[in-house]
Amino acid sequence: MWNMKGPQNLPVPGRTLLVLFTTFTAWCNSHLRKSGTQIDNIEEDFRDGLKLMLLLEVIAGERLPKPERGKMRVHKINNVNKALDFIASKGVKLVSIGAEEIVDGNAKMTLGMIWTIILRFAIQDISVEETSAKEGLLLWCQRKTAPYKNVNVQNFHISWKDGLAFNALIHRHRPELIDYDKLRKDDPVTNLNNAFEVAERYLDIPKMLDAEDIVGTLRPDEKAIMTYVSCFYHAFSGAQKAETAANRICKVLAVNQENEHLMEDYEKLASDLLEWIRRTIPWLENRAPEKTMTEMQQKLEDFRDYRRVHKPPKVQEKCQLEINFNTLQTKLRLSNRPAFMPSEGRMVSDINGSWHKLEGAEKGYEEWLLNEIRRLERLDHLAEKFRQKAAIHESWTDGKEAMLTQKDYETATLSEIKALLKKHEAFESDLAAHQDRVEQIAAIAQELNELDYYDSPSVNARCQNICEQWDALGSLTQSRRESLERTEKQLESIDELYLEYAKRAAPFNNWMEGAMEDLQDMFIVHNIEEIQGLITAHEQFKSTLPEANKEREAIQAIHSEVQKIAQYNGIKLAGNNPYTTITPQSIDSKWDKVQKLVPQRDQALQEELSRQQSNDHLRRQFANQANMIGPWIQTKMEEIGRISIEMNGTLEDQLTHLRQYEQSIIEYKPKIDQLEGDHQLIQEALIFDNKYTSYTMEHLRVGWEQLLTTIARTINEIENQILTRDAKGISQEQLHEYRTSFNHFDKDHSGVLAAEEFKACLISLGYDVENNKQADAEFARIMGIVDPNNSGAVTFQAFIDFMSRETTDTDTADQVIASFKILAGDKNFITAEELRRELPPDQAEYCIARMAPYTGPDGIPGALDYMSFSTALYGESDL
């Protein structure tokens, strides 16, 4: 409330009083001329109260009680009282100012009354940044003249003496009216007159001051200066509103342009990553087998190169893509924009799904590679074994068909027939002994077919020949026996020693051939236990050699006995033993070969034992590292989860701590690389199992990538919380309170609140969402805000976004529409010319390119629809 105490507050009579009369008269006339009335002498013209009441009606925009038109003193006093009562009704406290003094023409009282009117209706309503009246007007002058040299407005008297401040005010708002750079501080009269003339001619502000009076006075009158300056404020207030509106629009458009740029970056990065995944998966799903180990080893090396070189940058791109998406959504929420929805197929969930398919294909490809290598190794071993056994069998069967088809028994003597019969019995024994080898050959050929051996046709053809020949031998053997048995009754028995020799020599010879075959047999093992089993079996075989040697000596003794009897009885032996082709020399030769093969087998087994011991060392070396790294990764994951829930220090402290924590994790990378090297050595050694650890390199890779992604995501969440806090003006205590409430209801420490947990949290914060229809609808509305994807869970970031939105003010579509309406001069549309005049060039062109043509009935050619454009900025239309 204004407190005007009357004449004692007026300046002393004299030159200053004259200045006030001049200024106040001009101020009054500037308002009264709208009604076609003018005053010449304040003392005289206000005495009857009529012009005073008219002045108040003009400046207040209200009707006063009907004035009295009589000439009597009482009529004049009544009119003045009506005017004074109206002034008092506006909150002005009048002290020592009465109607009688005004009617009597008291100059000081009249000036005091007019000054009260000026303060109330021209100055009181001025408001600049929470300051009002005189202080607000002074702040406005300081802000507007701040960029101008030689201008320093600190008061309403001497700061205006050189006239530069008046010219600066005009130039700031209408630069085309004044050439400010030509003004000189040492020529105040010219400066003042220039400002007064320009204001009167172009701004409709009457000349209220005299340049000579201002320059010639040590301290110009403050009230006169304030009265005149207030006219400038009101004249330029419209421009001030336009500037404020333009600033608001610029701010909104800048945010929108930045968000669009972030959206375009996300779309490109997502497209590139999805394209890479699309191109990579078919390569990983290619299961075309190779014929040789060398070709499969090259495929394995290509896969390792993919793991080491090509995939790690894509893991970083995927992590950065998620961080960019979360940052963009946070900025959109902070600027009250709708959430960003990427193009179809480019959501984070779509990328994660494609990535999951990639890793599935990657795992399947690696398993297929290792299985193929095992298969080819097994095939090589079986093929070599087949060739050895087939060669031995073919060597044995060579000439057997010719022997079985000869007709020697037709012209033979009885003794010769008996010899042939005994010989045939020995052959049958030998034939039966070879049955096992034929079955082994067939079984190996079958296994090669089942394992898809590339040279299966030749194997099958050779196996078929062996089987057909074996069947033929069986038939021929049966036929020859029948022929011999038909003449057996006519034949005498053959020398029992030859027969005994043949019977014992044949199995012993077969045993030696089997022993030589076993001693030369290739073997493949995968661990120490298997090679030790082969060594044990070999030792058992060596323990049977003394008994075998006794059998050899016994067989040789039979042959020696035959020679002794023949020599003793003077019998001339005709050729070799008729019952067998196995000679004592061949038995000794094969026995010597067995004796040589035994130490060779010993050496081969010991070399394989050394290789398996080396492989076991590689297993232990890998296991020792894996058993440390696996628990370390799990511990770090748990610690990150605990850090994200606990509230130790400010957000900046937490961010610093997390970045230090991230650095410590990155410094652990050499150990992961060392483990990769150990794993490569294991794969190169064709080691497929490890009993010393349950961790595989694949598990540890996945754990390491999850650890890097988790720490990056946690850091991003803290950065978004800082961004929210700074943008919304949330204090550290409020964030602490939000986190405490969130953690209290997060019973399972999962980092998110289920719907019921979130409802309980809202109730604890004072929200009325308990069980009734209205409360349920309110809770559904809030869940739509914090969980737009209907996942059933509320993150802490969504929780603080909601709480900050509930407690802070943000730009809205209505505010932007109101700002555009000011720029458009209260029209329902705006033109391109108005946008280019009020906005910076880039943002003006941005609006022109995106605004739809205005279709209202009051439109003009080129009119633009700023209302639909503003609602589209906030996702409230389909524009």
Side-chain angles (χ1 to χ4, degrees):
M1 181 176 289
W2 295 99
N3 187 2
M4 186 64 207
K5 294 187 178 180
Q8 59 268 35
N9 286 336
L10 288 171
V12 297
R15 189 176 187 86
T16 300
L17 193 60
L18 181 59
V19 168
L20 285 177
F21 269 104
T22 303
T23 303
F24 288 177
T25 299
W27 184 85
C28 292
N29 283 328
S30 68
H31 293 282
L32 286 173
R33 65 184 174 186
K34 300 174 184 177
S35 61
T37 303
Q38 180 175 329
I39 61 174
D40 300 313
N41 187 318
I42 290 178
E43 299 175 71
E44 293 299 322
D45 291 346
F46 283 165
R47 290 179 64 179
D48 60 0
L50 294 176
K51 290 186 177 180
L52 177 60
M53 294 179 69
L54 180 60
L55 175 66
L56 290 173
E57 286 183 345
V58 171
I59 62 176
E62 300 180 24
R63 296 293 296 177
L64 271 67
K66 186 176 181 180
E68 298 179 11
R69 299 292 181 175
K71 301 293 185 178
M72 299 178 63
R73 176 179 175 83
V74 66
H75 296 148
K76 297 178 181 180
I77 291 175
N78 288 339
N79 289 338
V80 174
N81 276 328
K82 290 177 181 179
L84 295 178
D85 291 340
F86 179 81
I87 295 172
S89 70
K90 298 302 180 181
V92 179
K93 186 176 181 181
L94 298 170
V95 181
S96 301
I97 298 179
E100 291 79 5
E101 286 83 1
I102 302 302
V103 172
D104 293 338
N106 187 315
K108 292 183 178 181
M109 287 297 179
T110 302
L111 290 174
M113 180 189 65
I114 296 174
W115 175 240
T116 300
I117 293 172
I118 292 172
L119 284 176
R120 173 58 185 85
F121 295 100
I123 298 177
Q124 178 182 339
D125 293 335
I126 294 174
S127 177
V128 178
E129 295 187 3
E130 300 181 356
T131 62
S132 60
K134 178 181 177 180
E135 291 77 14
L137 184 60
L138 182 62
L139 180 59
W140 178 79
C141 295
Q142 291 172 340
R143 291 291 174 83
K144 295 301 180 179
T145 61
Y148 293 88
K149 62 182 181 179
N150 298 325
V151 178
N152 183 19
V153 178
Q154 299 296 327
N155 49 57
F156 287 104
H157 38 81
I158 60 175
S159 295
W160 304 82
K161 285 188 66 173
D162 58 8
L164 291 177
F166 290 108
N167 284 277
L169 281 178
I170 297 172
H171 184 268
R172 180 63 182 271
H173 295 89
R174 297 288 298 275
E176 75 277 8
L177 299 180
I178 290 179
D179 188 354
Y180 185 84
D181 293 333
K182 291 184 178 181
L183 301 177
R184 295 183 305 147
K185 186 175 181 64
D186 58 354
D187 190 7
V189 174
T190 301
N191 297 340
L192 289 166
N193 283 327
N194 182 66
F196 296 160
E197 290 170 4
V198 169
E200 186 174 29
R201 178 180 302 176
Y202 298 103
L203 304 179
D204 203 23
I205 299 174
K207 184 176 180 182
M208 301 182 185
L209 302 174
D210 185 81
E212 285 75 16
D213 288 340
I214 294 175
V215 175
T217 305
L218 182 63
R219 187 177 186 272
D221 185 80
E222 187 179 62
K223 296 180 179 61
I225 299 295
M226 284 180 62
T227 301
Y228 190 59
V229 171
S230 68
C231 294
F232 284 89
Y233 174 87
H234 290 292
F236 294 135
S237 60
Q240 179 71 20
K241 292 179 181 178
E243 180 180 350
T244 302
N247 289 338
R248 178 182 290 274
I249 291 172
C250 289
K251 174 185 173 184
V252 170
L253 295 179
V255 170
N256 208 64
Q257 289 172 312
E258 180 184 0
N259 290 341
E260 287 183 356
H261 179 68
L262 291 175
M263 293 175 189
E264 293 171 357
D265 288 348
Y266 173 89
E267 290 283 344
K268 183 179 185 306
L269 190 58
S271 297
D272 293 345
L273 183 58
L274 287 171
E275 176 61 20
W276 178 82
I277 294 174
R278 186 191 65 77
R279 287 187 283 102
T280 304
I281 287 179
W283 175 70
L284 293 173
E285 291 177 343
N286 181 16
R287 299 292 191 272
E290 301 294 344
K291 294 181 179 180
T292 66
M293 281 286 289
T294 302
E295 294 171 326
M296 287 306 299
Q297 288 285 3
Q298 182 58 47
K299 279 197 170 186
L300 182 60
E301 187 60 32
D302 293 341
F303 181 71
R304 290 175 183 154
D305 187 64
Y306 156 80
R307 274 268 179 79
R308 291 191 304 263
V309 178
H310 301 291
K311 185 182 177 183
K314 299 303 178 182
V315 173
Q316 294 296 325
E317 288 181 14
K318 177 177 176 291
C319 178
Q320 188 61 45
L321 188 69
E322 293 180 2
I323 290 174
N324 291 351
F325 180 82
N326 292 335
T327 301
L328 174 59
Q329 297 293 40
T330 299
K331 289 186 175 181
L332 289 172
R333 286 193 297 271
L334 293 178
S335 59
N336 201 25
R337 302 303 198 277
F340 169 56
M341 292 297 293
S343 302
E344 183 177 356
R346 295 181 181 147
M347 295 285 292
V348 172
S349 59
D350 296 327
I351 295 172
N352 287 335
S354 297
W355 190 264
H356 180 71
K357 291 180 182 178
L358 174 73
E359 292 184 330
E362 178 180 322
K363 181 179 179 182
Y365 187 70
E366 183 178 29
E367 292 174 352
W368 175 78
L369 282 176
L370 297 179
N371 289 334
E372 275 298 293
I373 290 174
R374 294 192 191 100
R375 185 181 70 83
L376 290 176
E377 183 183 33
R378 174 71 175 162
L379 284 174
D380 289 345
H381 171 68
L382 288 175
E384 182 61 26
K385 192 171 184 179
F386 174 84
R387 286 190 288 271
Q388 287 186 1
K389 288 184 177 293
I392 293 172
H393 176 77
E394 289 166 348
S395 175
W396 178 82
T397 58
D398 184 38
K400 294 296 189 292
E401 288 187 16
M403 181 194 72
L404 292 171
T405 56
Q406 61 184 343
K407 304 295 183 178
D408 54 340
Y409 58 85
E410 294 180 351
T411 58
T413 64
L414 180 61
S415 60
E416 290 174 340
I417 289 299
K418 288 187 176 183
L420 289 175
L421 184 60
K422 297 299 181 181
K423 181 179 179 181
H424 188 73
E425 290 175 354
F427 172 75
E428 286 181 325
S429 177
D430 196 11
L431 184 69
H434 278 79
Q435 176 70 34
D436 183 61
R437 179 179 291 113
V438 173
E439 293 175 354
Q440 290 178 6
I441 290 171
I444 293 172
Q446 178 65 26
E447 188 171 359
L448 286 171
N449 278 279
E450 292 174 352
L451 294 177
D452 196 24
Y453 182 54
Y454 78 95
D455 198 23
S456 291
S458 64
V459 170
N460 292 335
R462 191 172 185 181
C463 180
Q464 182 68 25
N465 290 335
I466 290 173
C467 291
E468 290 175 355
Q469 186 185 41
W470 183 256
D471 292 337
L473 287 176
S475 298
L476 290 172
T477 300
Q478 182 64 27
S479 177
R480 184 172 177 82
R481 166 169 280 281
E482 291 173 355
S483 297
L484 290 173
E485 286 178 346
R486 281 195 304 268
T487 59
E488 185 180 13
K489 294 179 181 179
Q490 302 172 8
L491 299 176
E492 297 181 352
S493 63
I494 300 177
D495 190 354
E496 295 295 330
L497 289 175
Y498 270 138
L499 182 60
E500 183 181 359
Y501 175 90
K503 289 183 177 180
R504 296 183 67 173
F508 183 75
N509 181 70
N510 189 62
W511 175 87
M512 286 192 298
E513 289 180 349
M516 289 188 294
E517 180 180 349
D518 291 339
L519 289 171
Q520 297 178 85
D521 188 23
M522 293 178 62
F523 56 84
I524 178 170
V525 295
H526 298 94
N527 51 57
I528 291 179
E529 288 76 13
E530 291 179 1
I531 189 61
Q532 288 177 341
L534 291 177
I535 292 173
T536 301
H538 184 62
E539 293 298 323
Q540 291 175 351
F541 167 76
K542 289 196 295 184
S543 67
T544 64
L545 290 178
E547 282 296 322
N549 191 41
K550 290 180 182 180
E551 178 66 10
R552 181 186 66 82
E553 291 173 351
I555 293 172
Q556 296 292 47
I558 293 174
H559 179 74
S560 298
E561 184 67 17
V562 170
Q563 297 295 327
K564 186 185 295 183
I565 293 173
Q567 186 179 3
Y568 180 77
N569 294 295
I571 300 173
K572 186 176 180 181
L573 299 175
N576 295 325
N577 191 325
Y579 306 114
T580 182
T581 59
I582 302 173
T583 65
Q585 294 78 13
S586 67
I587 290 175
D588 288 339
S589 174
K590 291 179 180 179
W591 177 257
D592 292 339
K593 188 173 182 180
V594 168
Q595 294 292 77
K596 293 179 181 179
L597 289 174
V598 168
Q600 294 176 6
R601 184 73 168 183
D602 284 335
Q603 181 179 356
L605 291 173
Q606 289 301 319
E607 290 175 353
E608 181 61 25
L609 177 62
S610 298
R611 190 175 76 85
Q612 290 301 325
Q613 288 173 341
S614 174
N615 290 350
D616 197 65
H617 172 72
L618 291 176
R619 289 188 182 96
R620 292 177 183 272
Q621 179 174 311
F622 176 86
N624 290 338
Q625 290 294 323
N627 290 337
M628 289 190 300
I629 292 175
W632 181 87
I633 290 175
Q634 182 63 31
T635 300
K636 294 301 179 182
M637 290 289 288
E638 294 172 355
E639 290 176 357
I640 292 171
R642 187 166 56 253
I643 291 173
S644 66
I645 294 176
E646 295 174 351
M647 299 170 290
N648 295 326
T650 64
L651 289 177
E652 285 75 10
D653 294 338
Q654 295 177 34
L655 184 59
T656 300
H657 185 198
L658 282 171
R659 284 177 174 159
Q660 293 173 349
Y661 207 82
E662 181 185 37
Q663 184 60 35
S664 70
I665 291 174
I666 293 173
E667 291 174 356
Y668 202 80
K669 183 64 165 58
K671 294 188 178 180
I672 301 295
D673 296 337
Q674 180 182 353
L675 191 64
E676 286 280 3
D678 294 342
H679 179 63
Q680 182 172 348
L681 293 176
I682 284 178
Q683 287 194 325
E684 290 173 351
L686 300 178
I687 300 172
F688 306 107
D689 58 2
N690 194 337
K691 65 182 180 180
Y692 300 111
T693 180
S694 61
Y695 293 101
T696 66
M697 196 64 231
E698 178 62 25
H699 294 156
L700 295 176
R701 287 193 199 102
V702 172
W704 175 253
E705 293 172 359
Q706 289 178 347
L707 179 61
L708 294 177
T709 301
T710 300
I711 187 64
R713 186 183 296 115
T714 303
I715 289 174
N716 180 247
E717 289 176 356
I718 297 299
E719 290 173 339
N720 285 339
Q721 291 176 27
I722 292 174
L723 185 62
T724 301
R725 181 199 65 191
D726 295 340
K728 299 294 186 178
I730 301 174
S731 65
Q732 186 67 34
E733 289 74 19
Q734 285 177 304
L735 280 177
H736 187 275
E737 180 183 354
Y738 293 161
R739 173 54 83 178
T740 301
S741 298
F742 189 92
N743 289 347
H744 176 74
F745 290 95
D746 184 15
K747 302 300 184 182
D748 56 354
H749 303 293
S750 62
V752 297
L753 296 180
E756 290 302 317
E757 293 175 335
F758 180 58
K759 176 182 282 189
C761 182
L762 289 177
I763 293 172
S764 71
L765 293 173
Y767 285 83
D768 184 15
V769 291
E770 295 190 72
N771 296 330
N772 60 66
K773 290 185 177 180
Q774 184 176 356
D776 291 342
E778 176 62 12
F779 180 70
R781 181 191 70 81
I782 295 175
M783 282 299 292
I785 295 173
V786 299
D787 183 23
N789 296 325
N790 295 323
S791 64
V794 181
T795 64
F796 179 65
Q797 182 63 42
F799 177 73
I800 61 173
D801 285 345
F802 169 74
M803 295 305 298
S804 63
R805 181 181 297 181
E806 292 293 299
T807 57
T808 58
D809 185 27
T810 58
D811 290 324
T812 65
D814 289 340
Q815 290 174 326
V816 176
I817 290 173
S819 298
F820 272 118
K821 195 174 187 66
I822 292 173
L823 297 187
D826 286 336
K827 299 191 299 292
N828 292 327
F829 58 86
I830 195 168
T831 64
E833 179 181 1
E834 290 170 333
L835 289 171
R836 291 189 177 102
R837 184 178 67 234
E838 301 294 347
L839 299 180
D842 60 331
Q843 294 186 339
E845 298 305 323
Y846 178 85
C847 292
I848 294 169
R850 286 163 174 76
M851 282 187 182
Y854 178 73
T855 58
D858 55 339
I860 62 174
L864 300 175
D865 187 354
Y866 61 78
M867 294 185 183
S868 61
F869 173 77
S870 300
T871 55
L873 290 178
Y874 291 87
E876 299 176 10
S877 77
D878 297 328
L879 185 61

